[in-house]
């Protein structure tokens, strides 16, 4: 005669197995499935849970994951100790991955002998991915804060120095105005003018950099002749070069059409020209070239200047390694110009690079891809 209590227990067990979203499975001492529930079957890509009977994790998971699971279960059988709420990444045959919280315990028979294992796995993929995204966001925020702190400490230094120099000159002129001659007054006014121009350029670069960080600069690439944009910038700096007795050479094709943002690329060329003039000695030369290569246009500004040491080379284009130095005529600089160049070139999907040798000069080059789907 059937025991109604046993029938009721079996009914409740089947209801549980069929409806619980967690994956439940029973295995023998060899790691073969004895029974699994519907959730476990569906995750293994089978409709009928009975299809899993006799199979092992090696039929569903990658070998690496299956071997780890089998080792855990063999330890449970050997030592009779359960593992509880172990978070693990599961890698499935076919390339799928998920995260799970798993508990496994030994199964005993009436003689208190371990005859297999029982496991229950809860999918925690959504929570785990959210945690990873939050962790990455926190890491990025810490990096940005570190960059910001470094940036503003350097900017404070670069502002304080020129202002101290400016105040010193003004105090000296004010206190000794009756004793100094007109030539010395003119020389001091020239120093004041140079300092103010440098401060103004620093302010301009700061504002430009700030607009980039806020995505407040409109990016409007159009197909145009990039050579004409280069000529326009070089013409603007021809007087600066002439005043320093520097010869300018242009090696450009008649026309070279590519899709680019005229304002951004002009800013890049302007910064590279400014640096080339700044670090080239009088009677030196600067050569500006444009080359039509297979998948991009390459613009280069080559000078015969003082070059850059290997110790300082890695500091270029890097906000955390802010780098600024005086030119051959003690011209000032903001140190932000090359950082802006890198931002604008990468906005186009291009790259900026430098080749340099001390006392022989530098070649700064950047590329603009010919084919690019702009956002």
């Amino acid at each position: 005669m059937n025991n109604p209590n046993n029938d009721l227990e079996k009914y409740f067990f089947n209801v549980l197995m069929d409806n619980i979203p967690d994956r439940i499975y029973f295995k023998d001492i060899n790691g073969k499935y004895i029974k699994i529930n519907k959730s476990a079957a569906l995750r293994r890509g089978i409709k009928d849970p009975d299809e899993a009977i006799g199979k092992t994790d090696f039929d569903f998971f990658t070998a690496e994951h299956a071997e780890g699971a089998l080792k855990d279960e063999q330890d449970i059988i050997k030592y009779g100790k359960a593992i509880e709420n172990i978070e693990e990444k599961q890698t499935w045959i076919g390339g799928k991955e998920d995260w799970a919280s798993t508990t496994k315990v030994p199964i005993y028979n009436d003689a208190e002998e371990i005859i297999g294992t029982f496991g229950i796995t809860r999918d925690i993929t959504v929570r785990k991915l959210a945690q990873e995204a939050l962790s990455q966001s926190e890491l990025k925020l810490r990096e940005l804060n570190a960059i910001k702190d470094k940036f503003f400490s350097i900017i404070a230094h670069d502002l304080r120095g020129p202002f101290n120099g400016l105040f010193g000159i003004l105090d000296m002129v004010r206190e000794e105005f009756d004793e100094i001659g007109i030539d010395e007054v003119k020389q001091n006014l020239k120093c004041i003018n140079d300092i103010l121009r440098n401060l103004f350029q620093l302010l301009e670069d700061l504002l430009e950099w700030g607009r980039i960080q806020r995505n407040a600069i409109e990016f409007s690439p159009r197909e145009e002749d990039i050579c004409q944009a280069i000529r326009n910038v070089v013409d603007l700096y021809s007087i600066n070069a002439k005043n320093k007795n520097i010869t300018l050479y242009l090696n450009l094709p008649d026309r070279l059409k590519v899709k680019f943002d005229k304002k951004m690329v002009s800013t890049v060329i302007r910064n590279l020209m400014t640096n080339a003039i700044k670090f080239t000695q009088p009677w030196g030369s600067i050569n500006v070239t444009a080359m039509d290569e297979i998948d991009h246009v390459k613009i280069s500004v080559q000078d015969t200047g003082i070059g850059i040491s290997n110790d300082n080379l890695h500091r270029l284009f890097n906000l955390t390694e802010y780098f600024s130095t005086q030119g051959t005529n003690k011209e000032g600089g903001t140190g932000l110009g090359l950082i802006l160049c890198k931002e604008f070139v990468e906005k186009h999907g291009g790259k900026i690079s430098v080749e340099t040798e001390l006392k022989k000069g530098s070649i700064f080059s950047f590329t603009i891809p010919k084919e690019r789907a702009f956002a």
Side-chain angles (χ1 to χ4, degrees):
M1 185 175 178
N2 292 333
N3 188 333
N5 288 332
N6 289 341
D7 292 339
L8 189 59
E9 287 178 4
K10 184 176 180 181
Y11 171 76
F12 286 149
F13 175 75
N14 289 333
V15 169
L16 177 67
M17 290 288 283
D18 288 345
N19 293 281
I20 191 169
D22 294 339
R23 306 166 202 159
I24 297 175
Y25 40 89
F26 299 85
K27 296 180 182 179
D28 64 19
I29 58 174
N30 296 314
K32 293 182 179 181
Y33 288 109
I34 302 169
K35 188 175 183 63
I36 68 173
N37 71 340
K38 282 187 176 181
S39 292
L42 289 174
R43 191 63 188 88
R44 285 158 177 75
I46 55 179
K47 293 182 179 180
D48 184 355
D50 289 343
E51 291 181 34
I53 296 174
K55 294 184 177 180
T56 70
D57 283 340
F58 289 91
D59 293 299
F60 304 104
F61 296 96
T62 59
E64 182 180 5
H65 181 81
E67 286 168 0
L70 180 60
K71 182 182 182 304
D72 289 341
E73 290 154 8
Q74 291 300 310
D75 287 343
I76 291 171
I77 292 168
K78 183 177 181 180
Y79 301 108
K81 188 175 181 180
I83 59 174
E84 297 179 357
N85 299 320
I86 301 298
E87 293 189 359
E88 59 181 348
K89 178 184 281 188
Q90 297 183 318
T91 53
W92 302 78
I93 291 174
K96 293 181 180 179
E97 294 181 346
D98 60 17
W99 283 90
S101 174
T102 298
T103 294
K104 294 181 180 180
V105 299
I107 302 174
Y108 294 89
N109 61 14
D110 292 338
E112 294 298 318
E113 298 169 333
I114 296 176
I115 59 172
T117 59
F118 159 74
I120 181 167
T121 296
R122 174 164 294 176
D123 192 306
I124 59 170
T125 304
V126 173
R127 173 169 66 82
K128 200 70 178 179
L129 292 178
Q131 288 176 343
E132 288 183 352
L134 180 60
S135 177
Q136 289 298 317
S137 296
E138 290 175 347
L139 178 62
K140 185 66 175 177
L141 183 59
R142 286 196 294 270
E143 290 175 350
L144 290 174
N145 281 334
I147 291 174
K148 179 202 69 176
D149 293 343
K150 175 80 172 177
F151 175 71
F152 282 112
S153 68
I154 294 168
I155 292 303
H157 176 270
D158 273 21
L159 285 172
R160 190 179 294 113
F163 272 115
N164 287 337
L166 188 61
F167 291 144
I169 294 171
L170 289 173
D171 286 342
M172 185 271 292
V173 172
R174 179 175 56 81
E175 293 171 2
E176 302 178 13
F177 185 79
D178 294 332
E179 288 80 22
I180 60 178
I182 189 67
D183 290 340
E184 190 170 350
V185 171
K186 287 181 178 179
Q187 181 61 36
N188 286 323
L189 287 174
K190 181 182 181 301
C191 289
I192 291 171
N193 181 68
D194 291 342
I195 291 172
L196 289 175
R197 285 183 180 277
N198 190 45
L199 285 172
F200 179 76
Q201 186 59 54
L202 176 58
L203 177 61
E204 286 284 286
D205 287 347
L206 276 172
L207 292 173
E208 191 82 350
W209 182 81
R211 285 193 288 268
I212 293 172
Q213 304 314 303
R214 300 193 312 273
N215 292 317
I217 294 181
E218 183 181 357
F219 181 53
S220 303
R222 296 180 180 177
E223 189 172 40
E224 298 188 56
D225 179 16
I226 198 168
C227 292
Q228 188 56 51
I230 295 171
R231 293 187 189 97
N232 291 341
V233 174
V234 172
D235 286 345
L236 289 175
Y237 284 87
S238 59
I239 294 177
N240 301 58
K242 184 177 180 181
N243 290 338
K244 212 172 173 183
N245 293 308
I246 295 172
T247 304
L248 292 180
Y249 297 99
L250 283 179
N251 184 14
L252 309 174
D254 291 336
R255 288 176 65 81
L256 184 51
K257 282 201 166 187
V258 67
K259 198 173 184 180
F260 68 102
D261 183 294
K262 191 172 183 179
K263 183 179 179 182
M264 288 188 180
V265 168
S266 296
T267 298
V268 173
I269 299 167
R270 185 169 66 249
N271 273 288
L272 297 184
M273 285 295 299
T274 298
N275 284 346
I277 295 170
K278 174 181 172 182
F279 294 111
T280 298
Q281 300 93 335
W283 311 108
S285 64
I286 296 171
N287 187 22
V288 183
T289 62
M291 291 180 285
D292 186 3
E293 301 194 345
I294 296 174
D295 57 357
H296 61 260
V297 170
K298 183 177 182 181
I299 313 300
S300 299
V301 177
Q302 179 177 6
D303 63 61
T304 59
I306 59 177
I308 304 166
S309 69
N310 288 331
D311 291 339
N312 288 326
L313 194 58
H314 75 281
R315 301 169 67 188
L316 301 178
F317 313 114
N318 189 345
L319 188 58
T320 60
E321 295 287 345
Y322 183 87
F323 176 60
S324 177
T325 187
Q326 287 188 329
T328 55
N329 280 356
K330 297 185 178 180
E331 301 99 325
T334 71
L336 283 174
L338 289 178
I339 295 171
L340 292 175
C341 289
K342 183 174 184 290
E343 297 263 9
F344 286 157
V345 170
E346 290 180 351
K347 189 76 173 176
H348 286 79
K351 295 181 180 179
I352 188 166
S353 59
V354 59
E355 301 173 51
T356 184
E357 188 174 349
L358 275 177
K359 299 182 180 180
K360 291 189 177 181
S362 303
I363 307 173
F364 282 85
S365 303
F366 68 94
T367 60
I368 302 292
K370 291 181 180 178
E371 298 294 335
R372 175 171 166 80
F374 295 103

